Amino acid sequence: MVNTLRSKYGQENVIASDIKKPTLAQRSTGPFVYADVLNYRALDQIVVDYGIDWVVHFSAILSAAGERNPALGLNVNINGFQNILEVAKAHKLRLLSPSTMGAFGPSTPKDDTPDLTIMRPNTIYGISKVHMELLGEYYCEKYGVDFRSLRYPGIISADSPPGGGTTDYAVDIFHGALEHNRYTCFLKAETRLPMAYIDDCITGTVQLLEAPAESLTQRTYNVHACAFSPEELAQEIRQQHSKDFVIEYAPDFRQDIADTWPRTMADIAARKDWGWNPLFGTSDIVRSMLDKLAPVYKDAAIASQSQTASAEVPPAAVTAN
């Protein structure tokens, strides 16, 4: 996301932030600041110091991680969002804060889930995202904050490790396939969920961020690209990578979370209002993930073989004259 925005608006005009130390490569592409969403004064100062106009607020504790540590999830997802919302109000910022399909719950219609429907999630992550959506809309109507949000499906990317979500298997499975030609999945074989590739996610997020306010008929939108189950994904990996790929199933607590989420989401409003148009289907995602990750594992295998060969060479004899 940062690189995409910098390519459009200039390196010095997009300020990256995190609470983790950036890599040298990340620091070399433009400004970086330490930003703790739980520290209102620090956020306020960053906006003032850098003349910020737009904020993309990604900070969140995801679904599975939130169930492991509810107190942290509530603190970051609710108090952290409240801080950035107040900063946006004070400085008249445009604020985009993504939501999630996890904002839906067990009583929500599972297929073609509409934008406006029953929303009674039973996870800390989902509850905090419903809170975010409603509070953002309230601040928009009450105080004029230009709040925008889109409900992400599971996001698949080769560029970063899984972050504690219930759809993490759809990234992990590629690493398992390339390293061991097998994978043990924490969801049941038939668990179908909405998904999207990272490229479509970034494109769509930027589209909503840039959209004229007058084109928006609502403030929170569903986005959907494709849907598949672990078994369907495994079958596609067999076709493109190895017919001998093996997947086993050991469902854990994340299965209960997945069972409350939609199988597909209706995203007509996003397509109509600001041009959401995903390009990657299931087979495209598999092809791209394998293309990006295969060289990584090939290089690692070569390095491992080289180290093994070096260890097997006996040390040279040294003769004193």
Side-chain angles (χ1 to χ4, degrees), residues 200-241:
D200 283 331
C201 172
I202 291 172
T203 298
T205 303
V206 173
Q207 285 176 311
L208 178 56
L209 180 65
E210 295 177 332
E214 58 269 21
S215 72
L216 306 181
T217 59
Q218 55 200 59
R219 288 290 157 170
T220 301
Y221 292 84
N222 287 351
V223 290
H224 179 93
C226 61
F228 52 74
S229 67
E231 187 57 42
E232 289 169 333
L233 182 58
Q235 186 57 37
E236 190 65 41
I237 290 173
R238 290 187 190 105
Q239 291 180 12
Q240 296 197 36
H241 170 61

Side-chain angles (χ1 to χ4, degrees), residues 92-210:
K92 298 180 173 55
L93 308 179
R94 178 173 297 183
L95 172 61
L96 190 152
S97 184
S99 187
T100 168
M101 64 179 173
F104 299 116
S107 55
T108 300
K110 298 294 183 190
D111 299 305
D112 291 329
T113 304
D115 287 308
L116 299 177
T117 186
I118 300 168
M119 300 181 70
R120 294 185 60 82
N122 58 4
T123 65
I124 290 296
Y125 182 52
I127 291 166
S128 67
K129 286 300 184 179
V130 172
H131 169 273
M132 180 211 75
E133 291 181 17
L134 295 177
L135 198 61
E137 291 178 11
Y138 177 85
Y139 269 62
C140 178
E141 295 171 7
K142 187 78 171 179
Y143 305 115
V145 174
D146 189 357
F147 169 79
R148 302 158 184 229
S149 186
L150 63 172
R151 296 187 186 116
Y152 287 150
I155 304 299
I156 302 172
S157 171
D159 300 326
S160 56
T166 300
T167 57
D168 281 358
Y169 89 86
V171 175
D172 280 338
I173 193 171
F174 292 98
H175 295 276
L178 289 165
E179 188 171 13
H180 307 294
N181 210 29
R182 64 187 309 114
Y183 179 68
T184 300
C185 184
F186 54 75
L187 297 183
K188 295 178 182 176
E190 69 279 8
T191 305
R192 209 157 194 261
L193 293 170
M195 298 286 181
Y197 192 53
I198 185 64
D199 290 17
D200 283 331
C201 172
I202 291 172
T203 298
T205 303
V206 173
Q207 285 176 311
L208 178 56
L209 180 65
E210 295 177 332

Side-chain angles (χ1 to χ4, degrees), residues 6 11-12 44 52 62 76 107 110 118 124 131 175-176 204 208 214 219 237 243 245-246 252 290 309 321:
R6 283 177 173 164
Q11 290 186 342
E12 298 303 313
D44 189 63
I52 302 296
L62 301 183
V76 171
S107 55
K110 298 294 183 190
I118 300 168
I124 290 296
H131 169 273
H175 295 276
L208 178 56
E214 58 269 21
R219 288 290 157 170
I237 290 173
K243 63 181 177 59
F245 174 67
V246 174
D252 62 17
L290 292 173
N321 292 324

Side-chain angles (χ1 to χ4, degrees), residues 300-313:
I302 292 172
S304 177
Q305 292 171 359
S306 176
Q307 291 174 357
T308 300
S310 297
E312 292 174 350
V313 175

